[in-house]
């Protein structure tokens, strides 16, 4: 018997959720938080994030946000993935907003560590194990200690969920490089693809749980690294029979669309990984679903403050920079390539 596509199987996954997992939401107070990703890539960006004099570090401290979310890629993909670099960036991230920072991994942080560079190449799965140990299992800086009610997924520690006011937020571990399904250069290919399959299953379970516990909330926020909206229409969904020549994001993209439609309240998807800084509604038929591609990737050196006001149905998510206070662009433009366009999927 042939295997059914992963997304058809995973969409029906359900998990038990404690009845007291969330407090009663407060819809009267707008929710605010700060989000960043794809940074630092350069020495100058590193200096902007360094305490006590870095401009972005000072701006975050002045805002004193209840939560800072880092979407991954804390270094350039071509830079070394050695332990000392990881420890240094972990320290820097932890000091930006002590004990109130949620980190989710990016591809530069592990899947790309096997590329040809001037530095030592690594087995990407070994780097993932070290990353989990540093940021989640050991976590000597206690990144999330003061985020009330934060829970992590059993068996997949990277994924987190918490509530602020009337908004439920969650992170998913979704890296670039087709969700870790291509450019497997040093790890055993079967092991890397098994990891990708387990990641897809875990993310689907966590997304289902998010919308289960969000039934009494007024809005939902989903944060991860990869630009799942940058895809190839010719590629099929990944299955257990086709694990590489496929769209590694189609399953989770379709599941988000389905869940947002059923939720029928504001949903914000936040990601990095690509260069088009923008906030827009990617699907006209799902007007409650918004997508924010945060600054970074050399092009826009800034981080975002986000205000969530579910009562404002036309614009429930207000996004501005902390260095440049202008609102996020509504046009997703890759103009640096010489061919600007608007992404409408």
């Amino acid at each position: 018997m042939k295997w059914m596509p992963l997304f058809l199987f995973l969409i029906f996954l359900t998990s038990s959720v404690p009845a007291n997992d969330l407090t009663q939401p407060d819809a009267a107070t707008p929710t605010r938080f700060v989000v960043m990703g794809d940074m630092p890539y350069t020495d100058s960006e590193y200096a902007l994030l360094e305490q006590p004099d870095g401009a972005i570090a000072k701006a975050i401290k002045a805002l004193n946000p209840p939560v800072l979310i880092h979407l991954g890629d804390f270094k350039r993909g071509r830079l070394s993935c050695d332990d000392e670099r990881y420890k240094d960036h972990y320290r820097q991230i932890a000091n930006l907003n002590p004990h109130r920072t949620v980190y989710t991994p990016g591809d530069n942080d592990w899947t790309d560590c096997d590329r040809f560079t001037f530095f030592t190449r690594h087995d990407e799965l070994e780097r993932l194990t070290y990353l989990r140990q540093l940021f989640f299992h050991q976590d000597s800086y206690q990144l999330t200690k003061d985020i009330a009610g934060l829970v992590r997924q059993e068996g997949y520690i990277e994924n987190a969920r918490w509530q602020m006011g009337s908004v439920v937020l969650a992170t998913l571990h979704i890296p670039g490089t087709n969700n870790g399904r291509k450019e497997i250069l040093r790890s055993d290919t079967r092991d890397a693809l098994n990891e990708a399959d387990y990641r897809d299953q875990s993310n689907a379970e966590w997304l289902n749980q998010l919308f289960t516990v969000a039934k009494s909330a007024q809005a939902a926020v989903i944060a991860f690294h990869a630009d799942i909206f940058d895809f190839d229409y010719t590629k099929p969904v990944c299955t257990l029979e086709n694990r590489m020549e496929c769209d590694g994001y189609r399953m989770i993209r379709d599941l988000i669309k389905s869940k947002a439609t059923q939720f029928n309240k504001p949903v914000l998807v936040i990601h990095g990984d690509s260069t088009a800084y923008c906030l827009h509604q990617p699907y006209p038929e799902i007007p409650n679903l918004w997508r924010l591609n945060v600054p970074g990737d050399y092009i826009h050196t800034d981080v975002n403050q986000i205000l969530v006001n579910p009562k404002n149905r036309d614009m429930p998510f207000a996004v501005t920079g902390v260095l440049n206070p202008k609102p996020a662009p509504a046009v997703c433009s890759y103009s640096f390539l010489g061919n600007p366009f608007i992404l409408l999927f």
Side-chain angles (χ1 to χ4, degrees):
M1 182 181 73
K2 291 184 178 294
W3 293 94
M4 70 172 66
L6 280 177
F7 83 96
L8 288 177
F9 169 70
L10 295 173
I11 199 169
F12 292 105
L13 288 174
T14 57
S15 300
S16 60
V17 179
N20 61 349
D21 186 58
L22 296 175
T23 58
Q24 289 299 312
D26 176 10
T29 305
T31 297
R32 70 183 183 95
F33 59 96
V34 170
V35 63
M36 63 181 295
D38 302 297
M39 186 185 301
Y41 279 8
T42 65
D43 290 343
S44 60
E45 288 183 346
Y46 181 94
L48 289 172
L49 297 174
E50 191 69 2
Q51 299 282 3
D53 298 321
I56 291 178
K58 289 195 292 187
I60 292 173
K61 183 176 181 180
L63 288 171
N64 191 27
V67 171
L68 165 67
I69 302 174
H70 194 298
L71 300 171
D73 273 16
F74 53 65
K75 68 173 191 68
R76 290 177 58 190
R78 295 291 180 179
L79 289 180
S80 167
C81 293
D82 63 88
D83 290 3
E84 292 308 309
R85 188 180 300 275
Y86 278 39
K87 291 175 183 177
D88 186 48
H89 285 287
Y90 168 61
R91 172 202 58 80
Q92 186 179 70
I93 291 169
N95 287 331
L96 286 171
N97 196 46
H99 307 308
R100 293 176 295 170
T101 297
V102 181
Y103 163 78
T104 186
D107 53 298
N108 289 4
D109 308 339
W110 69 278
T111 69
D112 295 343
C113 291
D114 54 3
R115 290 180 176 179
F116 292 96
T117 70
F118 293 109
F119 303 96
T120 300
R121 298 167 63 200
H122 295 265
D123 180 313
E124 63 183 64
L125 294 180
E126 183 277 328
R127 287 293 83 188
L128 175 59
T129 298
Y130 181 74
L131 192 73
R132 285 171 171 159
Q133 181 66 24
L134 181 65
F135 277 84
F136 303 107
H137 291 293
Q138 184 179 12
D139 189 18
S140 60
Y141 283 99
Q142 297 182 292
L143 291 178
T144 63
K145 185 184 73 170
D146 293 341
I147 302 177
L150 183 140
V151 295
R152 294 199 174 274
Q153 185 175 14
E154 184 177 356
Y156 211 74
I157 196 170
E158 302 97 297
N159 288 351
R161 184 179 67 246
W162 69 102
Q163 181 171 5
M164 297 192 297
S166 62
V167 183
V168 181
L169 305 93
T171 57
L172 302 174
H173 182 179
I174 308 177
T177 56
N178 198 33
N179 201 2
R181 293 181 178 273
K182 70 176 184 180
E183 297 182 13
I184 303 169
L185 304 177
R186 293 183 72 85
S187 297
D188 180 88
T189 301
R190 181 178 297 180
D191 289 344
L193 293 175
N194 288 343
E195 177 69 34
D197 289 342
Y198 182 64
R199 183 165 56 253
D200 279 345
Q201 177 182 338
S202 300
N203 286 333
E205 291 175 351
W206 202 234
L207 194 63
N208 279 316
Q209 285 196 23
L210 166 66
F211 282 98
T212 296
V213 300
K215 288 180 179 178
S216 61
Q218 298 302 310
V221 174
I222 308 162
F224 47 79
H225 175 71
D227 184 353
I228 67 170
F229 299 94
D230 181 15
F231 60 93
D232 184 348
Y233 284 96
T234 67
K235 292 291 182 70
V237 66
C238 297
T239 67
L240 296 179
E241 293 177 325
N242 179 8
R243 304 206 285 174
M244 295 185 73
E245 297 303 318
C246 54
D247 179 353
Y249 306 120
R250 181 172 171 182
M251 180 279 294
I252 201 70
R253 190 172 60 245
D254 288 349
L255 186 54
I256 288 172
K257 291 166 63 177
S258 173
K259 290 296 182 180
T261 300
Q262 296 170 26
F263 188 59
N264 199 31
K265 287 179 279 190
V267 177
L268 177 62
V269 169
I270 309 174
H271 69 86
D273 192 37
S274 64
T275 54
Y277 169 39
C278 57
L279 171 69
H280 73 148
Q281 295 156 287
Y283 303 103
E285 71 275 16
I286 315 176
N288 63 307
L289 178 60
W290 295 74
R291 169 239 189 160
L292 170 64
N293 190 353
V294 301
D297 274 312
Y298 305 102
I299 308 302
H300 302 279
T301 300
D302 208 342
V303 305
N304 285 139
Q305 177 174 229
I306 300 174
L307 296 178
V308 185
N309 181 6
K311 292 185 176 181
N312 186 343
R313 300 290 289 187
D314 294 330
M315 185 60 73
F317 306 105
V319 179
T320 56
V322 302
L323 295 183
N324 182 349
K326 291 182 179 180
V331 175
C332 296
S333 174
Y334 294 78
S335 57
F336 76 101
L337 295 174
N339 182 26
F341 57 91
I342 299 175
L343 297 176
L344 291 175
F345 304 111

